[in-house]
Amino acid sequence: VARNKWDTKKLSGDMTSVYEVAFFRPTVNNYERIHNLFGNVHRDACVNKQILKGENKKEPDVHICLENIFSPTCVVYSIGIADNWIFDDFMVSKGCQVFSFDPSMEIGTHKRHKNHLFEPIGIGVVSGAHKGNSTLYGGKEDYEVLTLSEMMRRHNHSHVDIVRMDTEYAEWDVLEQWYREDMYSKMNQLLLEVHMWPKSHHHLHNGELHSQLLHGIPMTLFHVARNKWDTKKLSGDMTSVYEVAFLRL
């Protein structure tokens, strides 16, 4: 702060009217904040858990809280399949209605079970044809996306028991929309693979938006597991890709 001495009018004490001021953004390691969040897992928030082992030693386990999952009324959305049906088939076996979405797979709309439906559709923040760079593993273009609210309207659901999402970094725009539109209030459990890669504005300022969006999920974190395919360190021993699970208590 420096006073411009051409102006001598006093406003308060010796403070005059015109000043030069300078501001700066202090360096905050937002990835350290995420590291701290991941280190504060409430594993006892769910007693009745099912652990689905990863496809291989590098893939993280998926933890599902089975408390308040009641057949035949439970509804599950699985977004991003990549030909891995372990989660979807398990939830069908529990008597839930399971809806699977993935536009990257070379298969059309079909059922694996009478309580299951697969659609080759992705998730986005605007429904319709995806615009911009492909967000799919393999780089496929020209695919349809729906918002979560539109998926729910399409299938006449006002609430979803479990949402599982693994969308290779496309999750950040979606999580931003869910926060703005209070979509978290429409789900009881969120199972999510997060990809903290430097691919968009979300990673700027040491992951400021990555941190804000993860801390902004108004649910209890009950599981964290590292995806060992990615080895880039962001803070301490924390790498870029994790399976995380949140529960509404």
Side-chain angles (χ1 to χ4, degrees):
V1 175
R3 175 186 165 196
N4 184 316
K5 297 178 182 177
W6 288 104
D7 191 291
T8 59
K9 180 182 178 182
K10 299 288 180 67
L11 298 177
S12 174
D14 62 351
M15 185 184 81
T16 51
S17 304
V18 182
Y19 282 80
E20 177 77 19
V21 295
F23 298 87
F24 79 100
R25 180 188 296 273
T27 300
V28 176
N29 190 339
N30 289 290
Y31 289 121
E32 186 175 341
R33 294 189 67 228
I34 297 173
H35 195 187
N36 292 337
L37 174 67
F38 286 178
N40 189 30
V41 182
H42 299 274
R43 302 189 191 280
D44 59 351
C46 178
V47 176
N48 183 13
K49 281 183 286 198
Q50 176 70 35
I51 300 174
L52 302 181
K53 302 298 290 184
E55 285 186 289
N56 52 60
K57 291 182 179 179
K58 291 190 175 182
E59 291 287 342
D61 296 344
V62 174
H63 286 212
I64 307 163
C65 185
L66 296 179
E67 297 169 11
N68 301 316
I69 298 296
F70 303 114
S71 170
T73 59
C74 48
V75 174
V76 175
Y77 283 15
S78 181
I79 304 166
I81 314 301
D83 294 298
N84 180 343
W85 297 102
I86 296 172
F87 170 77
D88 307 62
D89 289 347
F90 174 77
M91 295 312 302
V92 166
S93 77
K94 299 304 291 183
C96 295
Q97 300 287 326
V98 179
F99 298 81
S100 307
F101 306 90
D102 191 330
S104 71
M105 296 165 59
E106 298 301 323
I107 53 176
T109 300
H110 71 280
K111 289 176 172 282
R112 292 171 63 83
H113 184 273
K114 65 183 179 66
N115 292 338
H116 174 260
L117 177 67
F118 170 84
E119 295 182 280
I121 294 169
I123 192 162
V125 296
V126 178
S127 297
H130 174 74
K131 293 180 170 46
N133 295 331
S134 174
T135 62
L136 303 181
Y137 186 79
K140 179 181 176 180
E141 298 180 342
D142 299 322
Y143 53 93
E144 183 184 356
V145 295
L146 294 175
T147 64
L148 178 60
S149 59
E150 186 61 34
M151 286 178 177
M152 294 172 68
R153 278 194 294 270
R154 184 188 186 103
H155 296 293
N156 198 28
H157 295 137
S158 60
H159 200 86
V160 180
D161 291 280
I162 301 177
V163 175
R164 178 160 196 270
M165 183 166 66
D166 181 358
T167 53
E168 304 299 320
Y169 198 86
E171 68 269 14
W172 298 108
D173 285 334
V174 172
L175 293 177
E176 203 166 357
Q177 182 184 57
W178 289 0
Y179 181 80
R180 288 195 310 268
E181 299 183 1
D182 190 31
M183 292 302 295
Y184 294 119
S185 66
K186 302 181 186 301
M187 62 184 80
N188 288 343
Q189 197 169 156
L190 173 62
L191 313 180
L192 174 70
E193 185 162 275
V194 294
H195 308 80
M196 295 178 284
W197 296 329
K199 292 182 66 174
S200 75
H201 66 284
H202 296 95
H203 85 283
L204 298 176
H205 309 302
N206 292 305
E208 183 175 22
L209 279 175
H210 287 162
S211 178
Q212 286 180 8
L213 292 171
L214 287 172
H215 282 87
I217 297 173
M219 304 165 82
T220 298
L221 179 67
F222 72 94
H223 172 63
V224 172
R226 176 185 163 201
N227 185 317
K228 296 177 182 176
W229 287 106
D230 192 291
T231 58
K232 181 182 178 182
K233 300 286 180 65
L234 296 177
S235 174
D237 61 352
M238 186 184 80
T239 49
S240 302
V241 183
Y242 281 81
E243 178 79 21
V244 294
F246 294 86
L247 178 66
R248 181 176 302 284
L249 296 178

